[in-house]
Amino acid sequence: MDEFILIFRHEDGGKVASPEQMQIWMKQTMDWIGGIAAQNKFVSGTGLPFDESNRVVWHNNVVTNGPFGDIKETIGGFVIVKAVSVEEAVEFAKGSPVLLGEGNSVEVRKIAKEEDHQ
Amino acid sequence: MKQQELIPHLFRTEYSKITAVLCRRFGFEHIEVAEDIASETFLAAMESWAYKGLPENPVAWLYTVAKNKAATFVNRNSIFQEHVAKEVVGTAEEYMEIDLSEKNITDSQLQMLFVICNPIIPVESQIGLSLRILCGFGIDEIADAFLTNKETVNKRLYRAREKLRQERVKIELPDGKEIESRIQSVLLTLYLLFSEGYYSESTDSVIRKGLCLEAMRLTYLLLENRQTNLPAVNALLALMCFQASRFDARLNVNNDFVLYHDQDENLWNHELINRGILFLNKAAIGKVLSKYHIEAGIAYWHTVKNDSIEKWKHILQLFNQLLVLQYSPIAALNRTYAFSKIYGNQAAIAEAEKLNLTTNHFYFTLLGELYQSVDTDRAKENFDRALFLAKSVSDKKIIQDKIDKLISDCE
């Protein structure tokens, strides 16, 4: 069994959602994650809030505010799952409520194992 | 209370107190001495009370005899004198002052709880030793609760005592910082002790209820001490109260299990439910959300008999959180049941089939239930599979009842 990271990419992270909307998303996300955890395939995960505490550090240590504005896509969070193949991980990703937003995507990447470094 | 009932009753309550106090005084390496003195005290009571009748204050009588026996033991046993008495108990006079005050009993039992619930011994041994030393259970009662024989229990307890002795475990409360981590294994043992009683296959309902009550008493012991009165402990006791509130509704007159939906809620113990709510409120401080908080939340919603979408939404969210924190097949199945209550059977069947718990009879029972309103042939197939996999008589009976009902509904 391998581990895969599912990275949520939001087309416009700068958009502000209402607290009610946030709560609906939260529940949808938890139902999705709960379904993965019920298969004993959930490893970990977190959301990355689009608030003020964001910076980007560039080459030569230039620091800019947030990843928003300049670049089109923003990472909104990630989960790490266990899966036997990238296909299975993709099936998990398809259930993500992030994909309800047009233009959003979930990037599926295999996580390097200890032995891959040797 | 008549004499023949009084001695077993006192044994249950006082044996563990005397053992805990003596053991704390002698050190864990002399646990057998403490247990022997406690046992001999009860033998003496049985002999003496049969002739002379009950003393005015039986508990005080027991404590006096235990103190005297402890003193005699120290005086007579020269090896004990040389190796233990000097370093641990001081002189014989000093030793006479064995403190059987309520406060010292509580402190000793609490410290013994931390000694026994030590992850260096297997968790079944922790439960067994707790039952023996802290709850005064007999070896045969422990064997009955674990559905095993006396020899196995004796061997298990012997190995556990040896291990704790070898590791020179000290009888003390861990200090402030350590308590938070050490209390995890204490809580797990108490949780399993309670579950052992609640879900045991043992047909002896007195023993089963006894295990639950002892688990609750020991959990309450933790709450009585400021250092161990932590949110997770309150959450665990809340969980136990909610579960125990259904104790009398879960069994019918034939001692068969009554499923939740068929229970007479008038038999639910509302005082325990209210106590549970109180503990759950006290648990709601601090930042740590333990699995006991989540399970207590789920158990709370089960004390609300009326089915509503809102209730099941809460339960589903709690199961989602529980599974993220710690996977278990039973939580996965219960989550799927809650899911069906909100999203319908068809969607829940798709969720259930992903679980792939194909050796678990509860899995096929759940699938059978979900298919009931969708496809009765598939429902029957799944119930049949569940019946094939189920081992206990009570599980088989529950599944057979479902099959019979399914067939009679089809006719």
Side-chain angles (χ1 to χ4, degrees):
Chain A
M1 192 96 63
D2 285 311
E3 288 189 1
F4 292 85
I5 185 166
L6 315 184
I7 304 163
F8 314 145
R9 297 190 176 279
H10 295 250
E11 192 179 33
D12 188 359
K15 246 190 267 174
V16 180
S18 67
E20 292 77 25
Q21 185 58 47
M22 288 295 287
Q23 213 179 357
I24 293 170
W25 284 342
M26 202 50 222
K27 278 202 172 143
Q28 287 174 335
T29 304
M30 275 312 290
D31 281 351
W32 172 60
I33 287 174
I36 299 171
Q39 300 172 56
N40 202 10
K41 299 272 177 75
F42 177 81
V43 179
S44 62
T46 187
L48 302 170
F50 302 130
D51 62 11
E52 299 296 305
S53 316
N54 302 284
R55 301 289 184 277
V56 178
V57 184
W58 302 87
H59 180 63
N60 286 340
N61 289 350
V62 175
V63 178
T64 59
N65 273 345
F68 322 125
D70 296 345
I71 40 177
K72 206 171 164 229
E73 277 181 346
T74 307
I75 296 173
F78 65 85
V79 303
I80 297 174
V81 299
K82 286 184 273 189
V84 286
S85 62
V86 68
E87 285 75 23
E88 190 187 8
V90 164
E91 285 308 309
F92 286 143
K94 283 180 183 171
S96 168
V98 170
L99 297 176
L100 296 174
E102 214 179 316
N104 292 354
S105 63
V106 178
E107 182 175 331
V108 179
R109 302 286 296 271
K110 187 174 150 181
I111 289 181
K113 286 187 195 164
E114 272 307 297
E115 57 259 38
D116 294 340
H117 298 296
Q118 286 163 2
Chain B
M1 208 181 287
K2 292 210 186 78
Q3 192 168 323
Q4 59 264 43
E5 292 164 24
L6 183 70
I7 291 187
H9 171 78
L10 285 176
F11 190 87
R12 183 57 52 81
T13 56
E14 303 306 320
Y15 171 89
S16 60
K17 293 180 184 171
I18 295 172
T19 307
V21 166
L22 292 180
C23 185
R24 185 191 183 199
R25 192 80 154 89
F26 297 159
F28 192 84
E29 57 273 34
H30 302 290
I31 173 77
E32 267 109 358
V33 174
E35 288 182 279
D36 286 347
I37 290 174
S39 299
E40 284 167 20
T41 301
F42 279 92
L43 275 179
M46 282 198 279
E47 284 171 14
S48 165
W49 298 356
Y51 283 114
K52 297 180 191 165
L54 276 186
E56 210 165 294
N57 185 343
V59 173
W61 190 99
L62 290 170
Y63 289 176
T64 309
V65 171
K67 281 183 198 178
N68 290 342
K69 282 194 180 295
T72 313
F73 183 84
V74 173
N75 288 332
R76 285 210 188 138
N77 191 322
S78 59
I79 300 170
F80 192 85
Q81 276 276 45
E82 273 170 42
H83 296 287
V84 186
K86 264 185 270 174
E87 51 193 88
V88 187
V89 290
T91 65
E93 293 82 61
E94 199 183 315
Y95 174 78
M96 290 289 285
E97 298 304 311
I98 282 185
D99 178 6
L100 278 156
S101 66
E102 202 176 315
K103 167 132 193 355
N104 194 44
I105 287 170
T106 311
D107 288 353
S108 302
Q109 287 192 318
L110 188 61
Q111 292 177 8
M112 287 295 285
L113 187 59
F114 276 86
V115 170
I116 291 167
C117 300
N118 190 317
I120 62 172
I121 57 173
V123 75
E124 313 87 71
S125 305
Q126 296 178 32
I127 298 173
L129 268 190
S130 301
L131 285 173
R132 181 73 196 131
I133 297 175
L134 295 172
C135 311
F137 271 54
I139 299 296
D140 46 345
E141 290 172 309
I142 301 174
D144 188 59
F146 281 107
L147 296 179
T148 177
N149 56 49
K150 283 164 85 167
E151 289 73 43
T152 310
V153 172
N154 268 323
K155 268 187 217 157
R156 192 186 285 167
L157 298 192
Y158 175 78
R159 277 197 294 266
R161 284 195 193 91
E162 283 302 297
K163 180 75 183 166
L164 292 172
R165 221 193 309 260
Q166 278 162 20
E167 300 287 330
R168 300 182 176 280
V169 173
K170 286 211 175 69
I171 304 179
E172 60 188 15
L173 266 195
D175 63 28
K177 273 172 265 162
E178 230 189 286
I179 272 192
E180 297 252 356
S181 66
R182 282 292 311 282
I183 207 163
Q184 295 312 320
S185 57
V186 176
L187 294 182
L188 181 63
T189 301
L190 296 177
Y191 172 82
L192 293 173
L193 175 58
F194 184 89
S195 306
E196 195 64 47
Y198 203 72
Y199 300 106
S200 169
E201 292 295 338
S202 168
T203 47
D204 190 334
S205 67
V206 178
I207 288 189
R208 295 180 46 251
K209 208 168 183 174
L211 293 184
C212 291
L213 291 176
E214 285 298 327
M216 292 172 84
R217 180 179 71 83
L218 293 174
T219 309
Y220 193 72
L221 200 62
L222 291 168
L223 291 187
E224 284 183 312
N225 186 296
R226 198 176 41 82
Q227 275 174 284
T228 51
N229 186 347
L230 300 169
V233 184
N234 282 284
L236 178 60
L237 194 53
L239 169 63
M240 290 172 172
C241 288
F242 294 141
Q243 300 281 64
S245 73
R246 288 196 295 279
F247 218 104
D248 293 330
R250 286 170 81 233
L251 288 177
N252 64 18
V253 282
N254 303 319
N255 249 352
D256 291 329
F257 277 107
V258 182
L259 294 179
Y260 174 75
H261 289 282
D262 304 326
Q263 287 173 9
D264 176 2
E265 60 186 291
N266 291 317
L267 294 175
W268 291 359
N269 183 327
H270 291 278
E271 196 192 326
L272 272 176
I273 293 174
N274 290 334
R275 292 289 292 274
I277 293 171
L278 211 72
F279 290 125
L280 194 56
N281 283 331
K282 286 188 182 157
I285 54 163
K287 285 181 185 158
V288 183
L289 188 71
S290 68
K291 80 171 192 142
Y292 307 113
H293 283 91
I294 301 172
E295 288 199 34
I298 294 166
Y300 164 75
W301 282 105
H302 280 91
T303 65
V304 181
K305 180 91 180 188
N306 278 350
D307 256 5
S308 68
I309 280 281
E310 279 315 303
K311 163 179 159 177
W312 287 105
K313 277 185 178 170
H314 283 290
I315 294 176
L316 177 63
Q317 285 311 314
L318 288 162
F319 272 119
N320 287 337
Q321 285 177 300
L322 185 62
L323 283 159
V324 163
L325 206 61
Q326 190 179 67
Y327 169 81
S328 75
I330 199 73
L333 293 168
N334 283 324
R335 173 197 179 266
T336 312
Y337 183 74
F339 190 90
S340 76
K341 290 285 190 180
I342 301 162
Y343 297 104
N345 286 11
Q346 198 80 57
I349 288 168
E351 288 283 295
E353 280 170 347
K354 288 184 211 158
L355 302 181
N356 220 17
L357 295 165
T358 49
T359 55
N360 186 323
H361 68 271
F362 292 117
Y363 173 66
F364 290 103
T365 310
L366 174 68
L367 275 174
E369 297 226 337
L370 295 176
Y371 269 117
Q372 238 163 3
S373 59
V374 178
D375 180 338
T376 45
D377 289 342
R378 296 294 295 274
K380 171 87 170 47
E381 276 169 38
N382 281 294
F383 282 142
D384 286 343
R385 188 81 202 142
L387 190 62
F388 175 75
L389 289 169
K391 288 194 180 68
S392 79
V393 180
S394 57
D395 285 342
K396 279 187 184 294
K397 186 176 180 308
I398 287 170
I399 299 164
Q400 188 61 57
D401 287 350
K402 287 183 192 292
I403 294 175
D404 294 345
K405 188 168 182 304
L406 186 71
I407 292 171
S408 72
D409 286 352
C410 286
E411 280 163 5

